[in-house]
Amino acid sequence: TRYMNKPVIMCSGIEKIHEVAKIMTIFNIASLPFYRNDKLNIVTESDIVRLYLNGEKDISNFENPAITITEKETIFDAIKIMLEKDIGHLPVISVKGEVIGMLSIRDCLRGISVTDVINTKLLLFKGTESIKDVVKDFRHILVDENTTLVDALKIMSREKVKGLIVQGEKIGIFTIRDAIRMIGNSSKEDEKIKPREVPILSINDEINKAIGLMLQHNLRHLIITDGNNYYLLQVKELVKDMIWVEKFV
């Protein structure tokens, strides 16, 4: 529970799509738990994108039973669940059965970066290795700055990524969080995306540098270059490749 976010921001489960997106933007969060028929559910950025692309107007008929973790479990228990279930957020449940916090994959990265467990056999790397020696999968998905919101979301959905590299006068990035911000602002589908500049690292930089930038600037994505091409580094892939998950089985 040390690294979880609290208090928990929740929604009622009947909000409009753009209202959910607005809440996520205001509180800088990527998921919202809510109760439906006394059962805990959760709506994430990815859910909002899918509902948006399907033309849904609200979440009143949406159900997604939440996968949770108890306050007694460890940061590595949380990582195991997230990677096995392919999710990025876990509501933390108290011994009384109450939702007391939210734990994200980035919170887990922060936890394994600063605690004593970093020296256990659960971590495959020391942190001084290069990015290319740690991360197994880089995505090379480029769009131009004239790409529309709906087209960007369709590409993310098709390629199963949460960020795109945008090529213009400068190299930038457009992530699912940027899309949620646009949806929350009631942007039109054909409105052009608004890329951001993020740090660009060399594929030969130490993995510790990537982790530090993500934590310092609250980033889930970085751009990596090998000198010829640009690639996307996602926090989930970084955590997955750093942890010896088989030790959990």
Side-chain angles (χ1 to χ4, degrees):
T1 58
R2 178 180 176 186
Y3 299 102
M4 68 181 181
N5 292 292
K6 55 184 180 180
V8 181
I9 308 299
M10 302 185 70
C11 67
S12 65
I14 60 173
E15 288 86 353
K16 303 290 187 184
I17 296 297
H18 73 88
E19 291 174 337
V20 176
K22 192 73 172 180
I23 295 170
M24 290 179 172
T25 299
I26 290 172
F27 291 99
N28 196 28
I29 54 179
S31 62
L32 283 168
F34 64 94
Y35 283 97
R36 177 96 67 216
N37 299 324
D38 297 323
K39 294 182 179 179
L40 185 64
N41 283 259
I42 189 169
V43 59
T44 68
E45 290 173 328
S46 297
D47 296 323
I48 293 301
V49 167
R50 184 166 55 253
L51 293 169
Y52 178 84
L53 289 176
N54 289 340
E56 299 290 341
K57 302 301 182 184
D58 57 53
I59 62 169
S60 57
N61 294 316
F62 175 78
E63 291 187 8
N64 180 27
I67 298 170
T68 63
I69 191 169
T70 70
E71 61 180 324
K72 298 294 184 181
E73 293 176 275
T74 69
I75 203 82
F76 284 103
D77 292 325
I79 292 172
K80 178 190 175 185
I81 293 171
M82 289 184 189
L83 296 182
E84 286 183 348
K85 302 295 184 180
D86 193 27
I87 56 177
H89 300 85
L90 287 170
V92 182
I93 307 298
S94 72
V95 292
K96 297 180 180 180
E98 301 170 338
V99 183
I100 58 173
M102 290 291 294
L103 194 63
S104 72
I105 193 75
R106 192 172 55 231
D107 297 326
C108 293
L109 178 61
R110 182 178 295 107
I112 64 176
S113 298
V114 301
T115 62
D116 291 337
V117 294
I118 199 165
N119 293 318
T120 73
K121 293 182 179 179
L122 290 170
L123 289 182
L124 289 174
F125 303 96
K126 298 177 181 178
T128 54
E129 296 85 357
S130 68
I131 295 171
K132 67 179 180 181
D133 290 333
V134 176
V135 181
K136 300 181 180 67
D137 181 34
F138 293 107
R139 303 303 300 273
H140 178 66
I141 305 173
L142 269 71
V143 298
D144 64 51
E145 54 192 353
N146 292 315
T147 303
T148 63
L149 171 61
V150 69
D151 285 340
L153 291 177
K154 287 178 178 178
I155 294 170
M156 287 187 201
S157 179
R158 183 180 69 242
E159 300 294 337
K160 297 182 179 179
V161 295
K162 294 188 177 182
L164 301 171
I165 299 171
V166 184
Q167 190 132 28
E169 284 189 22
K170 294 183 178 180
I171 294 294
I173 193 170
F174 183 77
T175 70
I176 192 170
R177 179 157 292 186
D178 299 315
I180 290 295
R181 184 179 297 108
M182 290 183 70
I183 294 172
N185 289 334
S186 300
S187 298
K188 295 181 179 180
E189 289 187 355
D190 61 356
E191 187 170 328
K192 293 180 182 179
I193 59 176
K194 301 175 175 64
R196 294 178 288 116
E197 288 187 50
V198 296
I200 299 177
L201 298 184
S202 165
I203 202 168
N204 296 309
D205 282 333
E206 289 186 2
I207 198 69
N208 273 341
K209 186 174 181 180
I211 294 171
L213 284 171
M214 284 181 165
L215 297 181
Q216 181 182 354
H217 298 286
N218 198 29
L219 299 171
R220 288 183 287 176
H221 305 82
L222 291 173
I223 297 175
I224 309 299
T225 182
D226 59 5
N228 296 311
N229 296 305
Y230 295 96
Y231 305 93
L232 194 67
L233 176 62
Q234 304 184 92
V235 64
K236 192 171 183 179
E237 297 301 319
L238 181 58
V239 171
K240 181 177 70 176
D241 291 333
M242 286 180 64
I243 304 297
W244 185 243
V245 182
E246 290 180 12
K247 291 286 185 179
F248 293 121
V249 179

